[in-house]
Amino acid sequence: MSVIEFLSFSFVQRALTAGILIAVITAILGTFLVLKRLSLIGDSLSHVALSGVALGLITNTSPIFVAVPVVMAGSLLVFKITEHTKVYTDSALGIVSACGISFGLIITSLAGGFNVDLMSFLFGSILTVSAWELWLAFTLSAAAFVMIYIFYNDLIAVVFDENFAKTAGVNAKRINTILVLISAVAIVAALKVVGIMLVSAMLIIPPCAALQLATNFKKALLLACSFSVISVIFGIYISFVLNIPSGAAIIILNILILAFCACIKKFLK
Amino acid sequence: MDTIEVKNLSFSYGAALALENISFAVKQGDFTGVLGPNGGGKTTLIKIVLGLLKAQKGEVKLFGKDINKFDDWVKIGYLEQKNTPSSLMPLTAFEVARLGLLSSKKLPKTFNKTDNETAENIMQTTGCLPYKNKLFYELSGGQQQKVLLARTLINKPSLLILDEPSTALDSASRENFFNLISSLNKQNNITMLLITHDIADIGKYVNNFLILDKNIIFYGSKQKFCGDKKAEEYFGPYTPHLMDHLHADAKSCPFGRHQ
Ligand SMILES: Nc1ncnc2c1ncn2[C@@H]1O[C@H](COP(=O)(O)OP(=O)(O)OP(=O)(O)O)[C@@H](O)[C@H]1O
Ligand SMILES: [Mg+2]
């Protein structure tokens, strides 16, 4: 099938629009998270999303709508754990992750086990994005963009050097909280694209590829976004043509780009 | 109003007492050299003064305002001792230096052309302009220090707190550095708190000494320092060396020469 033909389907147009939006937002957030050594928050919060989605399905409400507050709560729980106990952040992420999966599994089994709907959230199904899901992705991404725009330089300062940020009048605690809350929103928005199992890869891999080549911060963000968008567009195309899962196709492309960037870096040095 | 006012301050890390009942005040324009052994609590004291650590006991005021309510950060320049910024953060030297302007901004904090010029000027002053477009994490320790110094000075702060700023610098840069900060102190009446082990280096620039070893061993002017029994005990071995650098003051200084 030609590309023109492919693009003429309205479900493909919806998938691409939602996919590109989410590719950009996860790449930008991922760059901050990777540099803050919080990249595994994607793993952890996506598992919390399982609880949220299952709760949405069992109560016959919207899985996405329920998942947003549940995942936000999960992200704050990570901070509460590290603040009030002698637990490192990575362990706290593991704990929250385990909570998410356990509750998710219990709720799922109460609902009579895995069904098609849950599967579509586990593994993503971007080609089935509905009009209102596209609208939701747009709203969530817009909110995330606005927050990043307002706090852009504060985020850079806190990620780079937290003590400096504090003595420059930046409320580091608030910025960290904002960062994980937006990440929670982005993760839920990305569920439809790559699924719970792979959403953290969208946050980690494009930024890692970009960091191989970036010579300043803007370039890092631009490269991460480009890699992420390219993977989503071609991933969707390939998955449609070869009839393979779109989420997996997108992530494999991301991994190939990362490998390519790592090679270029070796070659340049 | 004193620039820094510390009263009855005690601090411990867990069960380990690091500072005990510290009180002192620093006036605008003072250039204070903070000395003391490794682990004496110098860095800890500075972090409490800046609100980065919360003391269990006592109070701290900056420019007359309690540190917990202080928000006039544009007046403060701070250079940390052990600086471990995110190691892969792809910021150029220029981007790092310019970040210092954050404290003068309101949300959304964006940088304009004037800010870029300000950043280049201060980088010129601290001698790091030649590598402004290089990645910060690819610079040498001393080069990084010059960039961080530019970031610290960019707002023309009225209180400058520097924690062992010269350790990574070569001797020419060190000379430049001390000349720079001493001229800032003299011309702009900037208050300076400088932690160092290089008593020889700062002897000729400072006008006050604070010696800290969990308690305050000595706090006062350079002249008083020269006659102080405790200071003498404390810095006995350094004294002849120190005297070389106290120049004219040395003539009126009773200890060190007769040892
Ligand atoms: N994060 C920490 N946790 C526990 N103890 C600490 C911590 N930081 C410092 N200490 C202890 O507090 C005491 C004072 O340390 P501090 O870093 O203030 O000393 P310093 O005077 O700056 O020393 P140096 O000259 O080596 O820089 C030391 O005994 C140190 O072991
Ligand atoms: Mg120290």
Side-chain angles (χ1 to χ4, degrees):
Chain A
M1 181 191 337
S2 77
V3 175
I4 302 287
E5 242 182 295
F6 170 72
L7 288 176
S8 65
F9 296 114
S10 67
F11 72 92
V12 170
Q13 289 163 2
R14 275 201 302 275
L16 283 175
T17 317
I20 289 170
L21 269 175
I22 281 154
V24 170
I25 203 72
T26 50
I28 295 174
L29 278 171
T31 307
F32 287 109
L33 292 172
V34 164
L35 290 167
K36 186 102 187 107
R37 305 198 173 203
L38 268 178
S39 58
L40 285 179
I41 204 167
D43 239 18
S44 185
L45 294 187
S46 62
H47 293 159
V48 175
L50 177 66
S51 285
V53 166
L55 207 60
L57 289 173
I58 197 177
T59 53
N60 241 330
T61 46
S62 157
I64 298 266
F65 267 137
V66 178
V68 171
V70 170
V71 177
M72 282 179 142
S75 70
L76 295 180
L77 185 61
V78 175
F79 275 154
K80 286 285 165 230
I81 293 176
T82 43
E83 233 177 84
H84 297 290
T85 60
K86 283 193 174 177
V87 169
Y88 286 118
T89 310
D90 53 347
S91 312
L93 289 174
I95 294 166
V96 170
S97 164
C99 287
I101 296 200
S102 309
F103 281 118
L105 288 178
I106 290 171
I107 299 166
T108 308
S109 85
L110 290 180
F114 287 86
N115 59 19
V116 180
D117 283 338
L118 189 61
M119 286 300 187
S120 84
F121 283 101
L122 272 178
F123 301 106
S125 64
I126 188 148
L127 291 171
T128 65
V129 166
S130 65
W132 91 268
E133 278 170 327
L134 177 60
W135 178 85
L136 191 65
F138 182 81
T139 316
L140 293 179
S141 312
F145 275 123
V146 170
M147 294 301 274
I148 292 170
Y149 173 76
I150 294 176
F151 294 105
Y152 179 75
N153 279 308
D154 281 353
L155 279 164
I156 290 179
V158 169
V159 170
F160 180 59
D161 185 345
E162 202 160 308
N163 272 348
F164 156 73
K166 286 178 188 164
T167 57
V170 178
N171 185 336
K173 201 170 157 186
R174 187 173 73 185
I175 295 295
N176 281 324
T177 308
I178 289 172
L179 179 61
V180 295
L181 284 178
I182 319 173
S183 304
V185 170
I187 285 164
V188 175
L191 289 184
K192 232 7 221 266
V193 181
V194 285
I196 287 168
M197 305 296 285
L198 287 173
V199 68
S200 72
M202 295 268 304
L203 287 168
I204 299 176
I205 303 175
C208 284
L211 289 176
Q212 306 301 313
L213 306 179
T215 51
N216 63 42
F217 198 73
K218 281 226 169 69
K219 273 189 199 154
L221 290 179
L222 258 163
L223 282 173
C225 291
S226 315
F227 295 156
S228 190
V229 167
I230 290 170
S231 308
V232 164
I233 294 175
F234 287 95
I236 289 174
Y237 181 64
I238 292 170
S239 79
F240 187 69
V241 173
L242 301 181
N243 196 21
I244 55 174
S246 52
I250 290 168
I251 301 305
I252 294 291
L253 283 177
N254 268 320
I255 290 169
L256 290 176
I257 291 175
L258 171 60
F260 181 68
C261 290
C263 289
I264 292 184
K265 189 185 181 184
K266 271 268 174 329
F267 186 72
L268 285 179
K269 290 260 151 101
Chain B
M1 178 188 70
D2 294 317
T3 307
I4 304 175
E5 200 182 335
V6 173
K7 264 196 205 143
N8 308 322
L9 182 111
S10 294
F11 180 88
S12 41
Y13 290 101
L17 191 63
L19 293 170
E20 192 179 16
N21 204 19
I22 305 286
S23 300
F24 68 97
V26 174
K27 288 195 175 39
Q28 189 65 39
D30 279 0
F31 189 159
T32 307
V34 182
L35 306 163
N38 292 131
K42 304 180 292 296
T43 300
T44 306
L45 176 63
I46 291 312
K47 287 194 170 163
I48 296 170
V49 165
L50 289 166
L52 296 172
L53 290 173
K54 297 266 173 273
Q56 288 88 359
K57 216 179 124 259
E59 66 173 331
V60 174
K61 281 185 183 167
L62 285 185
F63 298 96
K65 203 159 183 192
D66 189 278
I67 185 63
N68 297 310
K69 294 186 193 119
F70 183 79
D71 57 2
D72 207 359
W73 293 104
V74 71
K75 281 187 178 162
I76 314 270
Y78 168 53
L79 191 55
E80 241 186 297
Q81 174 180 20
K82 200 177 69 192
N83 210 286
T84 44
S86 171
S87 58
L88 285 178
M89 187 91 174
L91 293 175
T92 61
F94 173 78
E95 288 173 312
V96 171
R98 192 181 54 179
L99 264 189
L101 287 170
L102 263 190
S103 49
S104 65
K105 300 274 172 187
K106 296 241 156 30
L107 287 176
K109 303 172 186 174
T110 50
F111 298 120
N112 57 34
K113 255 212 173 83
T114 325
D115 296 331
N116 294 346
E117 281 160 19
T118 313
E120 287 188 2
N121 286 338
I122 193 71
M123 290 179 87
Q124 175 76 43
T125 310
T126 67
C128 57
L129 195 58
Y131 39 85
K132 71 169 191 138
N133 290 322
K134 279 190 114 185
L135 281 173
F136 181 79
Y137 67 74
E138 287 178 352
L139 298 176
S140 76
Q143 290 174 326
Q144 288 187 348
Q145 192 71 350
K146 290 178 191 174
V147 176
L148 295 178
L149 188 66
R151 184 180 76 181
T152 308
L153 296 176
I154 197 166
N155 287 310
K156 301 193 166 51
S158 30
L159 169 61
L160 202 50
I161 299 183
L162 308 167
D163 197 345
E164 299 194 30
S166 58
T167 21
L169 302 180
D170 60 48
S171 53
S173 306
R174 195 179 285 225
E175 184 80 19
N176 282 341
F177 166 75
F178 282 115
N179 284 329
L180 170 64
I181 59 167
S182 115
S183 74
L184 285 173
N185 169 247
K186 290 207 182 84
Q187 287 162 19
N188 306 352
N189 201 33
I190 294 181
T191 314
M192 206 85 76
L193 215 57
L194 178 75
I195 300 181
T196 183
H197 293 291
D198 266 323
I199 179 166
D201 267 351
I202 61 161
K204 62 177 163 182
Y205 299 109
V206 301
N207 43 37
N208 283 315
F209 281 114
L210 173 66
I211 307 177
L212 198 64
D213 189 1
K214 198 187 284 186
N215 304 290
I216 292 186
I217 306 284
F218 174 86
Y219 179 57
S221 69
K222 191 158 70 177
Q223 284 72 21
K224 268 209 292 197
F225 176 79
C226 288
D228 190 83
K229 257 264 155 334
K230 274 203 211 140
E232 182 177 349
E233 248 168 55
Y234 201 80
F235 275 98
Y238 291 93
T239 314
H241 200 50
L242 172 64
M243 286 311 109
D244 290 345
H245 294 273
L246 290 182
H247 296 298
D249 304 329
K251 293 196 187 83
S252 58
C253 185
F255 84 85
R257 279 173 298 159
H258 57 247
Q259 277 185 350

